[in-house]
Amino acid sequence: MPADVRATKILLYDFPGSICCQMTRLAFAEKGVSYERQTVDIMAAAEQFEPWYTALNAKAVVPTLAIDGEIVTDTFRIVHRIDKDFDGPRLTPASAEGVKAMDQMMADIMGLHYGVLLYSRRLDADGKAPTVIARGEFLREQLRKYPERAEILNSRIAGNEKMQKILAQPGEVERHVGQARALVSRIGRALAKTPFVSASHYTLADAFATAALARFRLHGFEIWWSAGANPSVAAYYRRMQERPSWSAAGVVDSGNERDP
Ligand SMILES: N[C@@H](CCC(=O)N[C@@H](CS)C(=O)NCC(=O)O)C(=O)O
């Protein structure tokens, strides 16, 4: 049964530029549900590693949703909860088969390595990504300061080293960029069948696709659908930009690229 939105306290632990938070805010906006936001600075202040936050989200990532104090983590689960718990337009296809296809599309969008996409455009003359190296040093400094946070910081340091390895191999970078490009083509093929990526109406997959396309544009890959390539994706992207949810959710597709 849908919760009574007016009586329910909905709090999103959030970071403005985070792609996952943008997906979540799009789902809220399309559902027409109002909520409170608390910023968790995942960059300079590294608040995601603070004990009060890891008590809510053991993986030390945003977003986290609190519904009347009940904690929900993982963007995929969060947006499904938003759709299920509250009144508003249904953001899932009607059939079980449609939901399965939508979930698969969302998993594939979430599965891309957005960090590689960003930093592959930021390599120096030696093929290294100074920002990624600096972030690795920052994480090691956090570890020296807060040895009690070793478990989560060590896993984040391992992820940073893995990304540096990927960035050092042009073939690997190409593979990741190719996966993102293939996803844009797949969105184009889906749009040949239905006006939205998973149904004839807006679904959670559109929230994911919109945030992903915005991220690709931010990183300089708009060429995948501009200038005549993938015209259905170009038209879809314009339509998504025109929806009230675009600005309500604060989708970022230009400017300063500083999100991990
Ligand atoms: N699978 C997780 C991924 C969340 C995630 O990676 N969030 C990023 C921002 S988009 C984050 O919090 N990063 C923190 C960091 O890099 O330390 C989810 O969907 O919630």
Side-chain angles (χ1 to χ4, degrees), residues 15 17-21 42-43 48-49 53 57 59-63 73-78 110 135 139 156 208 215 259-260:
F15 184 71
S18 145
I19 182 170
C20 303
C21 294
I42 60 171
M43 298 299 290
Q48 72 273 40
F49 303 121
Y53 189 69
N57 187 316
K59 292 189 175 151
V61 290
V62 286
T73 59
D74 193 275
T75 312
F76 182 87
R77 290 181 51 234
I78 289 172
M110 193 53 96
R135 187 70 180 174
L139 291 168
R156 211 51 66 83
F208 274 40
R215 189 48 59 109
D259 183 49

Side-chain angles (χ1 to χ4, degrees), residues 2-259:
D4 180 347
V5 174
R6 285 154 305 175
T8 306
K9 181 172 166 62
I10 310 167
L11 175 62
L12 181 68
Y13 296 90
D14 184 42
F15 184 71
S18 145
I19 182 170
C20 303
C21 294
Q22 289 175 48
M23 291 163 171
T24 306
R25 298 195 305 259
L26 279 168
F28 268 128
E30 290 287 342
K31 197 74 184 174
V33 172
S34 51
Y35 58 101
E36 290 169 42
R37 287 169 69 177
Q38 181 173 330
T39 298
V40 178
D41 181 350
I42 60 171
M43 298 299 290
E47 289 176 318
Q48 72 273 40
F49 303 121
E50 290 182 10
W52 71 267
Y53 189 69
T54 49
L56 302 176
N57 187 316
K59 292 189 175 151
V61 290
V62 286
T64 298
L65 180 62
I67 307 175
D68 273 340
E70 182 199 343
I71 299 301
V72 187
T73 59
D74 193 275
T75 312
F76 182 87
R77 290 181 51 234
I78 289 172
V79 295
H80 268 288
R81 274 299 290 273
I82 292 169
D83 188 42
K84 197 160 66 66
D85 277 29
F86 304 109
D87 289 332
R90 194 167 34 81
L91 301 181
T92 41
S95 71
E97 205 176 87
V99 173
K100 205 172 153 204
M102 178 193 76
D103 285 351
Q104 187 59 57
M105 174 71 94
M106 290 163 72
D108 293 343
I109 292 171
M110 193 53 96
L112 297 175
H113 201 321
Y114 292 90
V116 171
L117 294 183
L118 163 59
Y119 295 113
S120 67
R121 318 286 288 196
R122 294 263 178 279
L123 299 178
D124 65 14
D126 299 324
K128 292 199 163 28
T131 323
V132 181
I133 294 169
R135 187 70 180 174
E137 281 160 12
F138 173 82
L139 291 168
R140 277 188 285 275
E141 190 188 302
Q142 289 281 310
L143 182 58
R144 279 192 293 276
K145 256 193 193 155
Y146 306 106
E148 68 280 10
R149 301 179 192 171
E151 194 179 336
I152 191 70
L153 284 167
N154 278 326
S155 80
R156 211 51 66 83
I157 289 166
N160 177 276
E161 283 167 359
K162 194 171 159 202
M163 179 145 75
Q164 290 192 43
K165 273 203 190 110
I166 294 172
L167 290 168
Q169 299 173 62
E172 272 298 282
V173 170
E174 204 38 55
R175 192 172 66 78
H176 284 283
V177 172
Q179 277 174 0
R181 188 181 188 146
L183 185 92
V184 171
S185 302
R186 187 159 142 220
I187 290 173
R189 287 196 299 279
L191 293 169
K193 285 186 244 152
T194 50
F196 294 88
V197 298
S198 282
S200 57
H201 61 90
Y202 193 104
T203 70
L204 298 174
D206 294 294
F208 274 40
T210 300
L213 290 172
R215 189 48 59 109
F216 299 154
R217 181 173 193 276
L218 183 67
H219 298 341
F221 297 109
E222 191 187 15
I223 184 108
W224 292 338
W225 65 86
S226 63
N230 280 314
S232 58
V233 176
Y236 170 78
Y237 192 62
R238 275 195 300 276
R239 274 168 45 221
M240 296 304 108
Q241 286 177 308
E242 281 160 12
R243 292 176 81 85
S245 62
W246 175 275
S247 49
V251 179
V252 182
D253 74 349
S254 62
N256 182 16
E257 304 171 11
R258 56 180 292 277
D259 183 49

